[in-house]
C-alpha cells in the first residue's frame, strides 16, 4: 500500500501568538494610579511643603519657614508668576506657547509708572489703558497665529522683542520711580495698596492671584469656551469640523494671556514702586514651569487650572526654602530644572501605566 504523499496532507493550522496588549492593572490599583496622576501637583506641593518644614532653619526655637511673615512673603512672591501662569495655561491647553508675557509685564509696569507720574493720570484710567494695551498686544499675536498659520513660538518670540523695544522707547531706556502724593510727578497714594496686605496677614497681590485663579478654574469647568479650548488642543482639525470657532478661540486665548500679563505688570509696579523696561525678564519661563509642574500637557488638550495654581505655589516654596538655607543661586536653578523635568517625565509615564 502506497504511503500518502506528505505534500497532500493538510497541515494543522498553527496557533497565532497571543497579542500583547497594554498591561491592565486591577481596578482598585488602577484607580489609585489614576488619582495620583490627576493630583500629581497637589501631592508634589504637599511633599515640598513637608520637606521645607523638615529642613527649615530654626530661630528662637521656631521654624523660620512656618513664620507668618515668611509664608506671606511666599504668596506675595508667587502672585505675579501665578497670574501669568493662569493665562499661560489657556494658551498651552490649545497647544500653543506665549513667550512674550514677561516683556508684556515690563511694558505694563512702564506704562503704569509713566501714565501716573509723567502724565498725571488717576489710577482707574491708568489701569484701564494698561490692561487694554496688554489685551490688544495678546490679541494681535493670536490673530497672527490664527490667520497666518505661523507657530506661536515664533510669533511670541518676536512679540517679546517688540514689547521690550516699546517699553524702552516709552521710558527712555530707564526705570521710572513712583513717588506718592498729590503734587506733580507723583502717583495717587491709593496705588501703594498693591504692596500692602489685609489685616497685616494676606498680601493684596496674593488675594488678586487667588481671585483670578478661582475665576479661571470656574471658567475651565463650566463654560462652552473651555470645551472649545480643550477640543482645539486635543485635535484642532476635528474641532474645526465640529463647528468650533478655532480662530476666534485662539485669538481670545492669547488676549487673555496678554491681559493677565499686563495685570501682573501693574501689580509689579505697585510692589516695587517703579516701572522698568527690563522688568519681568525670565518670568515667561517660570510661568511655563508652573503650568508643566501642574500637569498640563505641552501638547495641549489636557490639564487643569488647579494644577497650575499648585505648581506656582510649589515653585514659590522651593525658591523660598532654598534661599532660607543659603543655597547657591546657581544650584537653585539646577534644582528647579530637575523638578520641571520630573514633572514632564510623569506626563510621559502616565499613559503607559494607566
Amino acid at each position: 500500500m502506497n504511503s500518502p504523499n506528505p505534500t497532500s496532507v493538510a497541515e494543522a493550522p498553527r496557533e497565532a501568538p497571543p497579542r500583547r496588549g497594554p498591561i491592565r492593572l486591577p481596578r482598585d490599583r488602577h484607580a489609585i494610579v489614576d488619582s495620583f496622576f490627576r493630583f500629581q501637583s497637589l501631592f508634589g506641593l504637599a511633599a515640598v511643603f513637608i520637606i521645607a518644614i523638615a529642613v527649615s532653619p530654626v530661630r528662637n526655637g521656631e521654624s523660620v519657614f512656618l513664620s507668618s511673615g515668611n509664608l506671606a512673603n511666599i504668596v506675595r512672591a508667587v502672585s505675579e508668576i501665578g497670574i501669568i501662569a493662569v493665562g499661560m495655561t489657556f494658551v498651552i491647553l490649545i497647544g500653543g506657547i506665549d513667550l512674550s508675557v514677561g516683556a508684556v509685564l515690563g511694558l505694563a509696569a512702564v506704562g503704569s509708572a509713566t501714565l501716573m507720574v509723567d502724565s498725571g493720570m488717576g489710577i482707574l484710567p491708568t489701569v484701564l489703558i494698561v490692561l487694554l494695551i496688554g489685551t490688544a498686544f495678546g490679541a494681535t499675536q493670536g490673530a497672527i497665529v490664527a490667520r497666518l498659520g505661523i507657530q506661536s513660538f515664533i510669533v511670541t518670540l518676536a512679540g517679546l522683542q517688540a514689547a521690550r523695544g516699546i517699553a524702552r522707547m516709552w521710558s527712555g531706556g530707564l526705570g521710572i520711580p513712583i513717588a506718592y502724593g498729590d503734587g506733580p510727578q507723583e502717583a495717587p497714594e491709593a496705588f501703594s495698596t498693591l504692596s500692602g496686605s489685609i489685616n497685616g496677614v494676606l498680601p493684596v497681590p496674593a488675594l488678586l492671584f487667588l481671585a483670578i485663579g478661582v475665576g479661571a478654574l470656574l471658567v475651565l469647568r463650566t463654560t462652552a469656551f473651555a470645551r472649545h479650548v480643550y477640543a482645539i488642543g486635543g485635535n484642532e482639525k476635528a474641532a474645526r469640523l465640529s463647528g468650533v470657532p478655532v480662530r476666534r478661540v485662539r485669538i481670545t486665548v492669547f488676549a487673555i494671556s496678554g491681559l493677565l500679563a499686563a495685570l501682573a505688570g501693574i501689580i509689579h509696579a505697585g510692589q516695587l514702586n517703579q516701572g522698568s523696561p527690563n522688568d519681568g525678564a525670565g518670568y515667561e519661563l517660570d510661568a511655563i514651569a508652573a503650568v508643566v509642574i501642574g500637569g498640563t500637557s505641552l501638547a495641549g488638550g489636557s490639564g487643569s487650572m488647579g494644577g497650575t495654581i499648585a505648581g506656582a505655589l510649589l515653585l514659590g516654596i522651593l525658591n523660598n526654602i532654598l534661599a532660607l538655607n543659603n543655597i547657591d543661586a546657581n544650584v537653585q536653578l539646577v534644582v528647579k530644572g530637575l523638578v520641571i523635568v520630573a514633572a514632564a517625565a510623569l506626563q510621559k509615564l502616565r499613559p503607559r501605566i494607566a
Side-chain angles (χ1 to χ4, degrees), residues 252-278:
T252 302
V253 161
F254 277 94
I256 292 172
S257 183
L259 169 68
L260 294 181
L263 176 60
I266 295 171
I267 295 172
H268 187 84
Q271 292 202 92
L272 298 186
N273 295 327
Q274 73 158 4
S276 170
N278 298 318

Side-chain angles (χ1 to χ4, degrees), residues 84 100-116 126-135 137 163-164 166-168 170 176 178 191 194 257-270 274-280:
I84 294 175
S100 69
V101 288
V104 172
L105 180 148
L107 176 61
V110 166
S112 300
T114 302
L115 292 174
M116 287 189 295
T126 295
V127 169
L128 291 177
I129 291 173
V130 171
L131 292 180
L132 181 61
I133 291 173
T135 304
F137 196 93
R164 288 284 179 215
I166 295 171
R168 287 174 182 172
W170 200 354
I176 302 174
I178 299 177
F191 192 72
L194 288 176
S257 183
L259 169 68
L260 294 181
L263 176 60
I266 295 171
I267 295 172
H268 187 84
Q274 73 158 4
S276 170
N278 298 318
D279 286 342

Side-chain angles (χ1 to χ4, degrees), residues 6-30:
T7 59
S8 63
V9 177
E11 296 182 357
R14 297 180 180 178
E15 292 185 3
R19 292 185 178 181
R20 294 185 177 182
I23 299 175
R24 297 190 178 277
L25 299 173
R27 182 172 297 180
D28 55 346
R29 187 179 173 190
H30 178 89

Side-chain angles (χ1 to χ4, degrees), residues 89 93 220 230 294-297 300-305 307-308:
T89 302
L93 280 174
L220 279 186
Y230 281 109
T296 298
S297 171
S302 174
S304 69
M305 197 60 67
T308 294

Side-chain angles (χ1 to χ4, degrees), residues 317-333:
I317 293 173
L318 188 62
N319 289 335
N320 180 263
I321 196 61
L322 291 174
L324 288 179
N325 284 279
N326 296 318
I327 302 299
D328 184 84
N330 297 317
V331 176
Q332 293 183 34
L333 294 175

Side-chain angles (χ1 to χ4, degrees), residues 57-297:
V58 177
R59 187 178 301 159
N60 298 326
E62 296 183 357
S63 170
V64 176
F65 174 76
L66 289 177
S67 65
S68 58
N70 185 67
L71 294 177
N73 288 335
I74 292 175
V75 293
R76 183 188 298 276
V78 162
S79 59
E80 295 174 23
I81 295 296
I83 290 172
I84 294 175
V86 168
M88 186 72 74
T89 302
F90 284 102
V91 175
I92 292 179
L93 280 174
I94 64 169
I97 202 79
D98 190 351
L99 299 178
S100 69
V101 288
V104 172
L105 180 148
L107 176 61
V110 166
S112 300
T114 302
L115 292 174
M116 287 189 295
V117 174
D118 293 342
S119 301
M121 287 189 177
I123 295 176
L124 182 59
T126 295
V127 169
L128 291 177
I129 291 173
V130 171
L131 292 180
L132 181 61
I133 291 173
T135 304
F137 196 93
T140 300
Q141 293 184 125
I144 294 172
V145 172
R147 298 188 177 279
L148 299 184
I150 305 175
Q151 290 291 329
S152 58
F153 179 91
I154 301 299
V155 173
T156 58
L157 181 62
L160 182 156
Q161 302 294 332
R164 288 284 179 215
I166 295 171
R168 287 174 182 172
M169 289 188 292
W170 200 354
S171 65
L174 301 173
I176 302 174
I178 299 177
Y180 298 104
D182 297 326
Q185 303 292 306
E186 291 180 333
E189 188 72 33
F191 192 72
S192 64
T193 57
L194 288 176
S195 61
S197 58
I198 299 175
N199 295 327
V201 177
L202 182 63
V204 172
L207 181 63
L208 293 173
F209 170 41
L210 177 63
I212 291 167
V214 171
L217 186 68
L218 294 175
V219 168
L220 279 186
R221 288 188 174 183
T222 61
T223 65
F225 172 74
R227 291 191 290 273
H228 293 167
V229 168
Y230 281 109
I232 294 171
N235 189 323
E236 182 176 335
K237 184 177 180 180
R240 183 178 285 108
L241 293 175
S242 300
V244 174
V246 174
R247 286 184 176 179
R248 187 171 66 198
V249 172
R250 195 176 292 277
I251 293 171
T252 302
V253 161
F254 277 94
I256 292 172
S257 183
L259 169 68
L260 294 181
L263 176 60
I266 295 171
I267 295 172
H268 187 84
Q271 292 202 92
L272 298 186
N273 295 327
Q274 73 158 4
S276 170
N278 298 318
D279 286 342
Y283 277 34
E284 62 277 357
L285 302 181
D286 285 340
I288 294 171
V291 177
V292 172
I293 291 172
T296 298
S297 171

